[in-house]
Amino acid sequence: HVQLVESGGASVQAGGSLRLSCAASGHPFDRMTSLCMAWWRQAPGQKREAVAIIDGKGAITYADSVKGRFTLSKERAGETITAYLQMHSLKPEDTAMYYCNVDQSWHDSWYLMGSIDALAYWGQGTQVTVS
C-alpha cells in the first residue's frame, strides 16, 4: 500500500531553520522511473501554493518567495525515497501546513509548479509556524 510520511514541522522564531522530510516507501514509488517530489504549502484562508519541486531528471524549481532560503534535495535508500526541504531564514509568512506531493511524471519541474493536479499522491501535512 502507499506509504508517504512527512515529518519535521515545528514552531520556530523568525530567522530560524527547519528541515522537513517526506519519505515515500515501497510500491509504487520504488518502481517509478521518473519520480517527481514536491512540497506545497497552504496557509489558513489561502490557496495551496507550490514551494519547490524536483522532477524526474533532478531539476529543481523554487517559488520566488523561497529562493535562496529553501533547498530541496532527494535521496534513495533501498525502497525508500526521501525528499528533504531545508528551510533557513524563516519568516512569519512561511507559516503554513506543508504537504508532500509525489508521483511519476515526465513534465519538467517548472511546469509542475503550476499544476496542482499533476502529481497524485499527497502526504498528511506537517505544520510550520514562524513567529
Side-chain angles (χ1 to χ4, degrees):
H1 70 110
V2 173
Q3 282 198 324
L4 192 59
V5 179
E6 299 151 331
S7 62
S11 295
V12 297
Q13 291 191 336
S17 298
L18 283 174
R19 189 176 80 156
L20 306 184
S21 299
C22 169
S25 301
H27 180 75
F29 306 115
D30 59 333
R31 288 171 172 77
M32 290 181 177
T33 55
S34 185
L35 180 67
C36 299
M37 303 184 82
W39 285 97
W40 295 72
R41 67 185 180 187
Q42 188 167 20
Q46 304 294 318
K47 293 193 305 183
R48 193 170 294 191
E49 62 175 2
V51 177
I53 297 177
I54 182 167
D55 63 26
K57 296 185 291 290
I60 301 173
T61 299
Y62 296 94
D64 288 343
S65 59
V66 307
K67 280 180 184 175
R69 300 188 298 123
F70 290 12
T71 302
L72 176 62
S73 61
K74 184 177 75 174
E75 67 179 33
R76 181 171 187 145
E79 293 186 349
T80 300
I81 306 97
T82 304
Y84 298 101
L85 186 68
Q86 180 68 55
M87 305 186 293
H88 294 299
S89 303
L90 283 162
K91 305 175 181 179
E93 51 263 44
D94 294 317
T95 295
M97 184 72 78
Y98 283 70
Y99 296 93
C100 182
N101 180 214
V102 177
D103 203 350
Q104 178 161 257
S105 175
W106 282 268
H107 289 300
D108 293 327
S109 58
W110 61 266
Y111 174 88
L112 294 170
M113 290 287 283
S115 182
I116 194 169
D117 296 321
L119 307 179
Y121 301 96
W122 290 89
Q124 79 282 2
T126 186
Q127 179 68 37
V128 172
T129 303
V130 185
S131 59

